[in-house]
Amino acid sequence: MPSPPRIGFLGPHATFTEQALHTLPESRDAELVPLPGAPAVLAAVRDGSVDAGCVPIENTVEGAVPPVLDGLVADPPLVVTREARIAVRFCLLGRPGTDRAGDLAAVRTVASHGHGIAQTRGWLAEHLPGAEVRVSSSTAEAAAQVARGEVDAAVAAPLAATRHGLAVLADDIADNPGAVTRFVLLTRPALPPEPTGWDRTMLAATTTNRPGTLLGLLTELTVRGIDLTRIESRPVKDRHAEYWFHLDCSGHVADPAMGEALAALHRRCDRLIYLGSFPRSEPRPERPGGVGSPVAPPTVATADDHAASQRWLAAIREGAGR
């Protein structure tokens, strides 16, 4: 019998990343391998230690996860094949008995991942103003630190309380209760999933620093009716004042309009990296007051239009006149 696929994730167990991974069909019958950070997950996928890896890529409060964006443009190449998003619910966890006095006076040190701290900063300042806040490699590792007696409390997922035998000292402590985190599943280069009609394509590009260059890139998407859903800039590590632009676009690499746009961007960019096409995880928007029919991204030409234009161009090149 073939061995089950191995999927690495930002560990240890009981992280939000593991929670997101369990929502993906790829996790069924797979061996889930906790790893000590997003860079370690990407490295394990690259060297073949795991078949795929799951990492957080952006949050509605703190934005993108810089180590993941930076890791995606490194070599050897990786592609995104799936995404998931989950609502993030934070709790303050402590050892049983920490809150015997009916308040949080015994909590002198609190640990969490940097994004966990950022999303609960207001609550911590109000309820634990004198506590030392420490950054941990993950929310689950912060809970493990509490269990080992290294810190008094952790900002983590409720799942971590069950795994480490901790008490929930306070529940739903996020400053923005509606926060959502998006996670991506990464593999070495492979065929993309089939188009669904509700897809996302991820790209990264560098350009010459001249007035209007970025506008030119965006124009290639706009004239083809491709919706840009996210843009982030990250510095090119070995070059001063040069940047990677990370682009999320509506559509699939198999779509004619997206194919034309990628070819045009390849001509314009100093370097263009295709990072994958995959189904979008958010639900399709509904028409206001309608019966729930989905709203398609704007299109300036149908697939038949693209095919007709290619036939026309081929005929011109073969001397068929106009």
Side-chain angles (χ1 to χ4, degrees):
M1 294 290 293
S3 57
R6 288 165 53 85
I7 302 179
F9 67 94
L10 172 61
H13 287 290
T15 58
F16 288 109
T17 306
E18 183 181 20
Q19 183 179 335
L21 182 53
H22 281 297
T23 70
L24 299 178
E26 288 82 356
S27 68
R28 296 174 198 147
D29 302 319
E31 178 186 355
L32 305 187
V33 182
L35 294 166
V41 175
L42 272 60
V45 177
R46 286 189 164 104
D47 67 22
S49 301
V50 296
D51 300 295
C54 187
V55 292
I57 193 167
E58 70 167 336
N59 177 270
T60 53
V61 176
E62 285 297 291
V65 181
V68 173
L69 296 188
D70 294 343
L72 285 174
V73 298
D75 290 318
L78 297 173
V79 292
V80 176
T81 60
R82 186 81 66 175
E83 69 175 17
R85 64 185 64 223
I86 60 170
V88 177
R89 175 185 163 206
F90 288 107
C91 298
L92 185 72
L93 308 181
R95 290 181 293 281
T98 299
D99 199 27
R100 280 193 298 265
D103 57 29
L104 300 175
V107 177
R108 304 297 178 87
T109 52
V110 182
S112 189
H113 185 270
H115 276 222
I117 293 169
Q119 293 181 64
T120 58
R121 186 175 286 119
W123 190 95
L124 293 173
E126 179 181 352
H127 294 89
L128 297 171
E132 176 190 352
V133 179
R134 301 179 184 176
V135 177
S136 186
S137 60
S138 69
T139 55
E141 172 57 23
Q145 289 177 296
V146 175
R148 294 193 298 262
E150 298 171 6
V151 294
D152 297 324
V155 174
L159 180 63
T162 303
R163 184 168 189 87
H164 294 285
L166 301 177
V168 176
L169 307 182
D171 200 1
D172 288 330
I173 65 172
D175 299 333
N176 296 275
V180 172
T181 297
R182 184 163 67 110
F183 301 81
V184 291
L185 189 70
L186 301 155
T187 69
R188 293 177 291 282
L191 287 174
E194 290 294 317
T196 66
W198 184 246
D199 301 293
R200 192 186 320 278
T201 293
M202 289 179 59
L203 310 167
T206 59
T207 65
T208 303
N209 186 12
R210 292 196 305 267
T213 302
L214 179 58
L215 176 61
L217 302 189
L218 302 182
T219 299
E220 299 291 359
L221 302 175
T222 301
V223 298
R224 293 172 176 86
I226 295 172
D227 184 23
L228 181 68
T229 59
R230 182 180 67 92
I231 182 169
E232 301 269 352
S233 64
R234 292 291 300 159
V236 178
K237 298 305 181 185
D238 56 350
R239 301 181 194 175
H240 177 65
E242 293 190 33
Y243 297 87
W244 283 104
F245 294 103
H246 290 262
L247 310 173
D248 283 8
C249 310
S250 62
H252 193 282
V253 66
D255 298 339
M258 183 63 74
E260 284 189 2
L262 291 178
L265 292 175
H266 189 270
R267 294 190 296 270
R268 282 183 176 266
C269 296
D270 291 344
R271 188 179 178 193
L272 179 69
I273 299 179
Y274 166 75
L275 294 173
S277 294
F278 46 88
R280 295 172 68 164
S281 56
E282 71 269 28
R284 298 192 192 201
E286 297 181 352
R287 297 184 189 278
V291 294
S293 51
V295 178
T299 3
V300 294
T302 66
D304 289 342
D305 293 333
H306 284 280
S309 66
Q310 290 299 315
R311 291 193 298 270
W312 175 84
L313 180 59
I316 290 293
R317 287 171 173 170
E318 292 172 4
R322 56 184 179 181

